[in-house]
Amino acid sequence: MKVAIIGATHAGVFSAKQIKAEHPDAEIHVFEKNDTVSFLSCGIALWIGDHVSSPNKMFYESPESMAKQGITMHMNTEVLEAKLADKHLVYKDLASGEETAADFDKIVITTGSKAIKPNLPGINSDRVFDSKNWQNANDLKKVTPEIKSAIVIGAGYIGAELAEQLSVNGKKVTLIDGLDRVLAKNTSEEFSSVFQEAYEKNGVQLELNQMVSSFEDTENGVKVKTDKGEYEADIAILGIGFLPNTGLFQGQVDMLKNGAIETNEYMETSVPGVFAAGDAATVFYNPTQKYDYIPLATNAVRQGVLVGKNIEKNTVAYQGTQATSAVELYELAYAATGLTKESAAIKGVDAESVTIEEDYRPDFMLTTTPVKASLTWEKGTRRIVGGAFMSKHDISQAANVVSLAIENKMTIDQLAMTDFFFQPNFGQPINYVSSVAMAAQAKAN
């Protein structure tokens, strides 16, 4: 079996490794137009803020380590043409310019996503930085120690983290977003308001509910114009979001309107023998029970593994995702899974939610910390569709618990009576996950 894998971020790397594990005799060719693989881009803000021990550790594989596993790596190589029905590729060595054509038995599309970069005047200035890949990270790391101010555009996870790390390192930060609050697509208002207070306490200038219209170089930096004002800083950083990088395959496979490639539960596309995974593909979103586009490394890793397990025959079905994620800003941890009440309404799910706040362990302990917990459920069925937690205490695993509950279609009633241990070092007689489920019961009844 001769397999071509186009792209070597998380989905591509895990596809290649799993195919080799399942089929040691397979001939696997990975095509990557950059010179690195497996970069953990979620660590860019941490690296900028000097919280990374070594940038080399932000890669869990290298072209050399992949080659030692028996995988043929075509680095600095761009696929120019892909005839998916024929399993035919034309690719170019970017160093030599040499073009090659080859046929394969299977093709795996793991081309990832591309940063949204609107065609705005001045956006290609040397003082406007992207925040997507290894080269972007290097460019930012070189310039940020010398700057005194920055404008961050986009208040999703990436922009929020960049703004926080720059501010705690003494930079004057302006955070701009088109929505009316930070992390609006990731949190409900009661959580984002806590973060907004933290930004303001740390000197971050929040400029929300406005759209950027242009960039203009100044004598010492860059001016960003919006529909509501003008802002100047040494640099601007884009963190607007992502779209599937699938232009090469348009018209050949079924896609969502945004270009995300649709697959079945075994990661196979509408073209037999062609698979897709990661940021280039759709996911099955368990809270809505529908296919969606949610670019997350966790989704990419699991889908890559599934490609390897199903490359020859249907073996292991995709369990779907809850899009569980987390962020830590100003020592406040936030972890969430599934839908908020607001996002449920957008997705067509008739849902209700409740939020509580209580100390994570008994007050007789010498120290304790409050936890804000939220649960979202579908009206009528009482099926859990989302949960969120915030605290200076580590609440990350609570989101994983609710993620499991969503995947297994548990109700608020079942979660309220689920067995969680009690020991005063770790929790209350009624764990806050159970407490919020009980609060949901009381509101629903």
Side-chain angles (χ1 to χ4, degrees):
M1 182 168 55
K2 186 178 179 183
V3 183
I5 298 174
I6 309 172
T9 51
H10 306 306
V13 167
F14 276 87
S15 293
K17 288 164 61 71
Q18 193 67 39
I19 293 169
K20 181 55 74 171
E22 302 281 339
H23 306 282
D25 294 333
E27 182 183 336
I28 304 169
H29 295 260
V30 176
F31 299 90
E32 171 56 52
K33 64 181 180 181
N34 298 302
D35 57 5
T36 59
V37 302
S38 77
F39 175 57
L40 293 163
S41 59
C42 51
I44 291 178
L46 292 169
W47 190 28
I48 298 305
D50 294 324
H51 293 293
V52 169
S53 59
S54 167
N56 295 329
K57 294 180 180 179
M58 296 171 76
F59 300 88
Y60 51 86
E61 290 284 357
S62 68
E64 294 76 21
S65 67
M66 298 282 284
K68 286 180 181 177
Q69 296 170 61
I71 298 162
T72 302
M73 303 298 293
H74 301 265
M75 303 305 296
N76 294 300
T77 301
E78 183 175 7
V79 175
L80 302 176
E81 183 182 345
K83 294 181 178 178
L84 298 181
D86 299 328
K87 313 294 185 297
H88 179 80
L89 299 183
V90 177
Y91 53 92
K92 179 180 180 179
D93 185 312
L94 297 177
S96 67
E98 181 182 355
E99 294 186 13
T100 306
D103 295 318
F104 298 86
D105 300 311
K106 309 278 185 177
I107 290 179
V108 181
I109 300 170
T110 51
T111 45
S113 56
K114 56 187 177 183
I116 295 174
K117 196 167 184 177
N119 185 23
L120 297 175
I123 199 168
N124 294 316
S125 165
D126 291 340
R127 294 167 182 172
V128 179
F129 291 80
D130 295 321
S131 55
K132 177 77 168 80
N133 58 31
W134 171 239
Q135 186 59 56
N136 300 154
N138 274 278
D139 292 342
L140 281 168
K141 185 62 176 174
K142 287 175 185 175
V143 72
T144 47
E146 309 301 324
I147 65 170
K148 294 182 179 179
S149 60
I151 297 168
V152 179
I153 299 157
Y157 277 154
I158 292 173
E161 290 177 306
L162 285 166
E164 183 250 5
Q165 285 296 300
L166 289 166
S167 69
V168 298
N169 280 275
K171 316 300 181 185
K172 184 180 182 300
V173 179
T174 302
L175 181 58
I176 300 174
D177 195 87
L179 299 176
D180 60 356
R181 54 191 178 87
V182 300
L183 297 169
K185 292 184 177 180
N186 310 100
T187 70
S188 59
E189 193 279 332
E190 57 203 338
F191 289 96
S192 63
S193 63
V194 179
F195 282 131
Q196 286 185 196
E197 289 178 15
Y199 278 119
E200 289 164 354
K201 285 180 181 177
N202 285 273
V204 175
Q205 180 180 343
L206 297 178
E207 297 295 344
L208 305 171
N209 205 27
Q210 54 191 289
M211 301 297 291
V212 172
S213 56
S214 69
F215 300 82
E216 180 183 321
D217 285 354
T218 63
E219 184 177 350
N220 299 310
V222 63
K223 179 188 293 183
V224 178
K225 294 182 180 181
T226 74
D227 55 356
K228 292 187 177 177
E230 297 181 355
Y231 312 95
E232 291 190 35
D234 296 329
I235 64 169
I237 307 173
L238 303 176
I240 302 172
F242 306 110
L243 286 172
N245 184 27
T246 56
L248 187 64
F249 316 104
Q250 283 285 345
Q252 299 189 68
V253 287
D254 292 344
M255 296 180 175
L256 298 183
K257 289 181 180 179
N258 71 349
I261 297 172
E262 297 180 27
T263 71
N264 62 18
E265 60 186 334
Y266 300 101
M267 307 316 301
E268 192 169 22
T269 71
S270 57
V271 177
V274 177
F275 297 77
D279 287 8
T282 57
V283 297
F284 186 78
Y285 191 39
N286 284 319
T288 61
Q289 293 290 293
K290 295 177 182 178
Y291 281 91
D292 209 331
Y293 181 63
I294 305 174
L296 285 173
T298 48
N299 293 337
V301 168
R302 279 188 281 275
Q303 288 184 327
V305 170
L306 286 171
V307 167
K309 289 185 175 295
N310 297 312
I311 194 76
E312 191 174 62
K313 62 180 180 179
N314 295 345
T315 304
V316 180
Y318 184 33
Q319 294 173 208
T321 180
Q322 290 70 253
T324 311
S325 59
V327 67
E328 185 174 322
L329 304 171
Y330 304 112
E331 299 182 348
L332 270 172
Y334 173 79
T337 185
L339 297 163
T340 64
K341 183 178 177 179
E342 296 90 339
S343 62
I346 294 170
K347 299 286 188 183
V349 177
D350 188 14
E352 186 55 88
S353 68
V354 71
T355 301
I356 64 169
E357 186 167 328
E358 62 181 39
D359 288 346
Y360 84 93
R361 63 182 183 178
D363 289 341
F364 67 71
M365 298 297 293
L366 295 179
T367 62
T368 190
T369 306
V371 170
K372 187 187 288 285
S374 175
L375 199 64
T376 305
W377 66 96
E378 185 179 45
K379 292 180 181 178
T381 66
R382 300 165 78 96
R383 178 176 66 94
I384 298 166
V385 295
F389 304 88
M390 174 184 278
S391 181
K392 289 193 174 182
H393 174 63
D394 181 3
I395 41 71
S396 55
Q397 293 309 308
N400 282 335
V401 168
V402 177
S403 176
L404 277 170
I406 297 170
E407 183 175 321
N408 287 285
K409 298 185 172 125
M410 289 178 67
T411 65
I412 53 176
D413 309 289
Q414 290 172 308
L415 186 61
M417 294 303 293
T418 294
D419 177 32
F420 297 119
F421 75 86
F422 165 56
Q423 206 285 336
N425 286 292
F426 304 100
Q428 299 273 15
I430 297 178
N431 185 279
Y432 55 84
V433 176
S434 293
S435 288
V436 73
M438 289 176 178
Q441 281 183 306
K443 189 169 183 177
N445 289 339

